[in-house]
Amino acid sequence: MLTLKYITENTAEVIARLAKKHFDGTAIIAQVIELDNARKAAQVQADNASAELNNLSKEIGNLMKQGKQAEANAAKEKTVELKEIIKTIGDQQSAAEQKLNDLLVQIPNLPHESVPSGKHAEDNLVERTGGSMPTLYDGAVPHWDLAKKYDLIDFELGVKISGAGFPVYKGKCARLQRALINFFLDNARESGYLEIQPPYVVNAASGYGTGQLPDKEGQMYHCTIDDLYLIPTAEVPVTNIYRDVILNESELPIKNTAYSACFRREAGSYGKDVRGLNRLHQFDKVEIVQIQHPDKSYETLDQMVNYVQTLVDKLELPWRILRLCGGDMSFTSALTFDFEVYSAAQERWLEVSSVSNFESYQANRLKCRFKSGDKKTQLAHTLNGSALALPRIVAALLENNQTPEGIRIPKALIPYTGFDIID
RNA sequence: GGAGAGGUGGCAGAGUGGUCGAUCGCGGCGGUCUUGAAAACCGUUGUACUGUGAGGUACCGGGGGUUCGAAUCCCUCCCUCUCCGCCA
């Protein structure tokens, strides 16, 4: 969430910038400021009363020691009123704090100045493109047909075992996925990321820390019996490693990578978007996470985008990078670049990565801070990105590389798959 | 699942109802010494809110209670660890 300090000190600017996300902050921010003032006033009162009570208590202690029982009793009577004030004003203060927090989590992050205005996906800016468009042979088909033809993915079997959106991968496709995971992790490691194996279920505090809770509760599978959530991305457990942590400035940047299965309920999805591998309830992904000094986070964002670009290049996929417009960005992001690859038989661009700088928005919730020698502790910036999400990569690889003889594996992957064609 | 132990500052570990935000040690930071380092010695070292400031307030797992006063007593919830059982 945004810091209260920033909102109160830059009110007009905050409202103006939120407008780019099509969020009208006028009313809510007025309320925030009002509550903040009420909170401060209450605290001053309650603190003064507490200070007085503390002094009185010490006095009573001394009087009792000296055997001045009568004076001590007189002083005790004075405490009654003070305790009353502390209780009622204190309650007012915590009520204001609670409401304040409830409001703050409803305010989205401020978009970076470079974010294009716009409401929908069509308003995103194409930043750059690369790779070459494949020319498919006559009779080329979408990946769901290839999946049948080569017995690679059994969607119906997944329905039987679990439900729609839980495909069963078989044979060379299962091996291809395993190869991709290793390929992505090895690349990340070579790029300086520390590999992490995180838990796949998290508690509510972690979900809150990265912003899935409370607003996106419906997106996660919830194991109510233990009150744990299946992770929708490795970002959640990995970023939460740094919850309530004060790092030393010299430790920055933190660079972590993790493979995980990801679980998403995707309530409300339908139609061509969910066909085949395009949208699943369970999928594999390798995530990269960085925690960086505020002065360097945009430089880092560029590096992460460039890194992801090397992956799609090595996989020989046609790609484009989108700078998301204000209306299409996530609630918590300040600047997001999406990667899309072209899946030639579907004739569609598929999103395979989203790389974002959250600035201090997540860090404020997480209480992830750093401190440098003499300077004060301050909030760090957090960034993350997919590098990469598997299913749509697999879809594009299958579709783009199909030939009458079989499906060709890109050169960079062959050492990982151990085969060069699916036939 | 059964039984027991315990949750205190970065770590380790004391703590009698009052002068305890909390002993001591380690680590960290600064300094003396040294060509440099180590060692030794000296000093310093939690977080947040609040106040123009001196300062004030809160926090010893969470919440509640007793008391003039709670890290310390009571209730309750959560969590962790150990042993036994089961098990990849």
Side-chain angles (χ1 to χ4, degrees), chain A residues 128-131 309 312-313 317-321 339-341 349:
Chain A
R128 54 183 189 267
T129 62
Q309 187 182 318
V312 284
D313 273 335
L317 292 166
W319 55 262
R320 65 180 189 185
I321 300 173
F339 273 78
E340 295 185 334
V341 298
W349 288 97

Side-chain angles (χ1 to χ4, degrees), chain A residues 76-367:
Chain A
K76 278 190 195 183
E77 278 172 36
K78 279 199 253 173
T79 65
V80 176
E81 192 190 345
L82 286 173
K83 286 206 279 187
E84 195 65 30
I85 292 172
I86 292 166
K87 175 101 176 69
T88 51
I89 305 291
D91 284 351
Q92 283 172 29
Q93 186 189 343
S94 40
E97 274 166 10
Q98 183 60 50
K99 267 190 234 159
L100 201 49
N101 197 58
D102 289 348
L103 292 179
L104 285 175
V105 300
Q106 290 174 39
I107 302 172
N109 198 0
L110 303 177
H112 187 258
E113 58 178 7
S114 72
V115 168
S117 52
K119 269 201 157 158
H120 311 293
E122 306 86 70
D123 301 319
N124 296 334
L125 284 185
V126 177
E127 195 74 10
R128 54 183 189 267
T129 62
S132 49
M133 287 293 196
T135 339
L136 298 187
Y137 74 102
D138 236 15
V141 293
H143 69 271
W144 46 86
D145 290 330
L146 293 168
K148 272 220 171 74
K149 181 174 173 187
Y150 296 104
D151 195 19
L152 296 175
I153 307 168
D154 196 327
F155 293 98
E156 290 74 23
L157 193 52
V159 170
K160 169 188 161 184
I161 299 168
S162 306
F166 294 94
V168 175
Y169 306 93
K170 294 158 77 173
K172 282 188 172 174
C173 191
R175 290 168 64 189
L176 171 63
Q177 300 229 79
R178 184 154 53 87
L180 281 166
I181 293 164
N182 282 331
F183 172 75
F184 292 145
L185 284 174
D186 282 353
N187 273 275
R189 193 188 64 243
E190 281 155 21
S191 213
Y193 291 88
L194 176 71
E195 186 174 338
I196 303 278
Q197 277 196 344
Y200 288 4
V201 294
V202 294
N203 54 30
S206 294
Y208 180 84
T210 30
Q212 277 70 30
L213 296 176
D215 20 298
K216 284 186 276 179
E217 167 138 40
Q219 263 300 359
M220 289 193 289
Y221 288 97
H222 187 192
C223 309
T224 50
I225 224 178
D226 296 303
D227 196 22
L228 293 170
Y229 296 85
L230 269 63
I231 57 171
T233 159
E235 166 200 344
V236 178
V238 172
T239 310
N240 270 284
I241 292 173
Y242 305 97
R243 169 154 52 86
D244 293 322
V245 167
I246 300 178
L247 296 156
N248 197 302
E249 186 177 4
S250 61
E251 296 176 80
L252 300 176
I254 300 276
K255 298 176 78 175
N256 287 171
T257 185
Y259 154 76
S260 86
C262 302
F263 304 90
R264 298 185 182 180
R265 295 188 58 237
E266 301 292 358
S269 302
Y270 60 92
K272 67 178 182 357
D273 283 347
V274 304
R275 188 94 195 258
L277 295 174
N278 290 348
R279 177 166 269 119
L280 302 172
H281 289 308
Q282 179 188 319
F283 63 95
D284 296 297
K285 180 160 64 67
V286 172
E287 184 80 2
I288 51 176
V289 172
Q290 290 210 39
I291 296 173
Q292 179 59 293
H293 191 288
D295 294 347
K296 297 179 188 158
S297 67
Y298 279 97
E299 199 181 305
T300 295
L301 181 65
D302 284 342
Q303 287 166 11
M304 290 170 76
V305 168
N306 289 337
Y307 168 71
V308 174
Q309 187 182 318
T310 64
L311 298 178
V312 284
D313 273 335
K314 285 182 188 175
L315 293 175
E316 300 168 37
L317 292 166
W319 55 262
R320 65 180 189 185
I321 300 173
L322 305 175
R323 185 186 290 258
L324 294 196
C325 73
D328 203 29
M329 291 171 71
S330 78
F331 193 78
T332 52
S333 170
L335 181 59
T336 298
F337 293 100
D338 270 10
F339 273 78
E340 295 185 334
V341 298
Y342 194 71
S343 203
Q346 297 184 68
E347 300 179 328
R348 290 183 65 190
W349 288 97
L350 301 177
E351 182 194 334
V352 293
S353 176
S354 193
V355 187
S356 302
N357 187 353
F358 303 98
E359 298 192 2
S360 61
Y361 192 89
Q362 254 184 355
N364 190 29
R365 277 201 186 189
L366 287 163
K367 299 236 169 10

Side-chain angles (χ1 to χ4, degrees), chain A residues 344-412:
Chain A
Q346 297 184 68
E347 300 179 328
R348 290 183 65 190
W349 288 97
L350 301 177
E351 182 194 334
V352 293
S353 176
S354 193
V355 187
S356 302
N357 187 353
F358 303 98
E359 298 192 2
S360 61
Y361 192 89
Q362 254 184 355
N364 190 29
R365 277 201 186 189
L366 287 163
K367 299 236 169 10
C368 173
R369 292 159 291 176
F370 71 93
K371 117 165 101 176
S372 54
D374 44 351
K375 281 188 224 146
K376 254 189 80 181
T377 56
Q378 55 175 317
L379 292 170
H381 280 193
T382 62
L383 305 96
N384 67 49
S386 347
L388 287 160
L390 291 230
R392 294 172 187 164
I393 290 286
V394 170
L397 286 175
L398 296 179
E399 293 187 12
N400 296 8
N401 297 321
Q402 58 184 309
T403 70
E405 292 75 41
I407 300 165
R408 191 179 58 80
I409 300 295
K411 211 187 303 164

